[in-house]
Amino acid sequence: MTQFTRSAPAPPPLHPNGVGLCLGMDASKPSLSRSRPWPGLPVSSSKSLGSLNSVNYMEQLLVNCANAVESNDATLAQQILWVLNNIAPPDGDSNQRLTSAFLRALIARASKTGSCKMLTAVAARADADLALHVHRFSAIDLASFIDLTPWHRFGYTAANATIAEAVEGVPAIHIVDLTTTHCMQMPTLIDLLANRPEGPPLIRLTVPSLTTTAPPPPMLDMSYDELGSRLVNFARSRNVAMEFRVIPSDPSDAFDSLIEQLRVERLVSEDEAVIVNCQMLLHYIPEETVGAIATTMSVNSPTLSVRKMFLEALRGLEPTLVTVVDEDADFTESDLVGRLRSAFNYLWIPYDTVDTFLPRGSEQRRWYEAGVRWKIGNVIAQEGLQRVERVEPKGRWAQRMRAAGFRSAGFTEEVAVEVKSMLDEHAAGWGLKKEEEELVLTWKGHDVVFAAAWVPC
């Protein structure tokens, strides 16, 4: 990661109406003297705040700010917030923009306990972020937007190639598409299946219509009925017979209505290959810490594992193949500082990569970074059922899948070659690792997204 070059002036004198008071913190605590050392600096240090230009120190400032906010230390939080605001402008380099996003998220978290005029500008920027992340793409614009980076294309390519291998010679396929990108993967898969030597299969496509009031970005400017009509017409143009169906369902209840509908249908359609394609959506299913919150009515209630329930219900469908693609990080810690560290050391990647494919000031770049800021805000500023960004690393998902009765199907060399060919269309920093169970997308050697394929034991 690059280092900051912008230095910061010394902090202003503490003011009785400073940030700490604005955030609803305890003003009765003793004020800190100007000689109190900054977090992480030796007491005897005579270094200026120019040392804050390092990325590691920026992370440490965020950690200390989070601790101050959580412990209601008004004066310390005021100092750190002021420094961060001055050395991490929202229009700076990639690391400054990353830090600025975390700064906004910490202020949003703290402002839940109070209000202040000093937060007006931050709140206005947050409103602007909201307007950006709820921007509604046309289907064509969304497809072009997604094609800018392999963040989603990697999973599309790995899953599509594996699905095509799994359904060779099968006359009828039921695809359950659990995705955050509104079926943008499907046209490529339809094309792939249309060109089978034995002829295309009948495709039934089922998607959930998320009932949540705050769906994650990106958003689409059309209904799923209209989207389905366009996909059916596209399939027809490729001489593929296709049916499309939407079932209102949501990750918050483990897609209960969708699973139940599929279970009933499975009883009468055993000859149909069922493919469950999970692209970046499984981590929105609540995990154990949310289950604990939901069951606090009784101290004797066991912790509810909604993810376990979903995977076991999925196993009961006897699917032909389940593909799982998600971000390889861990945002599930109940401790704010632990989550902040994990998110900071993962979400620098989209800020770093965006500089390679979108010019500063472009509208697409604003949409892209607004989506990342939405994620950061949810991870840092929200708790309980409102904190839906609960990404888990690939190893933990593998444990969950095996515990639910699945075994790894792995990926063939042909699939890996297909993915590598796709990555050649993008910046040189992207790479591919082929592990025993997964394919892993990397950026400058850091794991980004994993893809795995599973079949019932």
Side-chain angles (χ1 to χ4, degrees), residues 263-311:
R263 187 188 67 79
V264 171
E265 291 179 357
R266 199 76 172 111
L267 298 176
V268 296
S269 58
E270 294 182 353
D271 294 335
E272 188 177 60
V274 173
I275 307 295
V276 183
N277 182 58
C278 306
Q279 294 274 343
M280 306 287 191
L281 193 57
L282 290 194
H283 72 258
Y284 290 103
I285 297 174
E287 42 84 39
E288 283 78 359
T289 61
V290 178
I293 293 167
T295 57
T296 52
M297 294 294 184
S298 169
V299 294
N300 296 319
S301 297
T303 299
L304 178 65
S305 178
V306 185
R307 295 185 179 184
K308 180 174 183 288
M309 292 167 54
F310 169 76
L311 294 178

Side-chain angles (χ1 to χ4, degrees), residues 14-318:
L14 297 179
H15 191 278
N17 293 321
V19 175
L21 294 180
C22 299
L23 301 183
M25 295 177 175
D26 188 357
S28 65
K29 290 192 174 186
S31 295
L32 302 176
S33 69
R34 290 300 304 279
S35 63
R36 174 174 174 172
W38 288 93
L41 282 178
V43 175
S44 61
S45 174
S46 60
K47 291 188 290 185
S48 72
L49 290 179
S51 61
L52 301 184
N53 289 344
S54 77
V55 174
N56 289 339
Y57 203 93
M58 185 66 68
E59 178 187 0
Q60 190 58 44
L61 277 177
L62 288 169
V63 165
N64 280 280
C65 186
N67 278 323
V69 169
E70 292 298 274
S71 63
N72 209 31
D73 188 336
T75 48
L76 179 58
Q78 174 185 329
Q79 288 181 321
I80 303 174
L81 287 170
W82 190 91
V83 173
L84 285 168
N85 191 56
N86 279 274
I87 63 176
D91 58 350
D93 64 28
S94 61
N95 290 309
Q96 289 172 318
R97 301 195 307 275
L98 168 72
T99 303
S100 175
F102 277 88
L103 170 62
R104 294 189 203 184
L106 283 171
I107 292 176
R109 183 182 182 92
S111 66
K112 295 178 186 295
T113 61
S115 61
C116 175
K117 292 181 180 178
M118 290 180 68
L119 296 178
T120 302
V122 176
R125 287 202 298 267
D127 289 341
D129 280 355
L130 180 63
L132 284 170
H133 99 253
V134 298
H135 167 78
R136 293 183 175 274
F137 291 87
S138 70
I140 292 176
D141 286 345
L142 180 56
S144 298
F145 183 72
I146 288 171
D147 281 349
L148 291 170
T149 167
W151 204 280
H152 291 287
R153 289 191 72 201
F154 162 78
Y156 292 177
T157 305
N160 284 349
T162 302
I163 291 169
E165 290 179 348
V167 299
E168 286 181 2
V170 177
I173 305 170
H174 187 176
I175 301 170
V176 182
D177 194 30
L178 304 180
T179 177
T180 58
T181 54
H182 313 288
C183 301
M184 291 298 108
Q185 175 183 346
M186 289 301 112
T188 305
L189 180 57
I190 291 169
D191 258 340
L192 197 59
L193 296 176
N195 294 318
R196 293 196 318 182
E198 68 272 31
L202 165 67
I203 299 176
R204 286 207 303 143
L205 178 60
T206 296
V207 301
S209 175
L210 302 189
T211 56
T212 180
T213 56
M219 307 287 283
L220 195 62
D221 72 347
M222 67 179 67
S223 69
Y224 267 95
D225 288 337
E226 183 180 353
L227 176 65
S229 177
R230 293 192 181 194
L231 282 172
V232 168
N233 288 335
F234 174 80
R236 186 180 298 119
S237 73
R238 300 299 191 270
N239 296 316
V240 176
M242 181 175 174
E243 301 171 4
F244 181 91
R245 178 183 55 175
V246 179
I247 297 178
S249 193
D250 201 76
S252 62
D253 64 359
F255 300 104
D256 183 65
S257 56
L258 174 64
I259 291 289
E260 179 59 23
Q261 182 67 35
L262 294 172
R263 187 188 67 79
V264 171
E265 291 179 357
R266 199 76 172 111
L267 298 176
V268 296
S269 58
E270 294 182 353
D271 294 335
E272 188 177 60
V274 173
I275 307 295
V276 183
N277 182 58
C278 306
Q279 294 274 343
M280 306 287 191
L281 193 57
L282 290 194
H283 72 258
Y284 290 103
I285 297 174
E287 42 84 39
E288 283 78 359
T289 61
V290 178
I293 293 167
T295 57
T296 52
M297 294 294 184
S298 169
V299 294
N300 296 319
S301 297
T303 299
L304 178 65
S305 178
V306 185
R307 295 185 179 184
K308 180 174 183 288
M309 292 167 54
F310 169 76
L311 294 178
E312 288 178 349
L314 192 61
R315 174 62 179 82
L317 298 176
E318 293 288 342

Side-chain angles (χ1 to χ4, degrees), residues 361-383:
S362 75
E363 198 168 40
Q364 286 182 320
R365 179 159 165 169
R366 291 171 60 225
W367 294 333
Y368 183 89
E369 293 195 354
V372 182
R373 288 194 297 270
W374 182 91
K375 185 187 292 287
I376 292 171
N378 190 266
V379 170
I380 300 301
Q382 301 295 336
E383 288 294 351

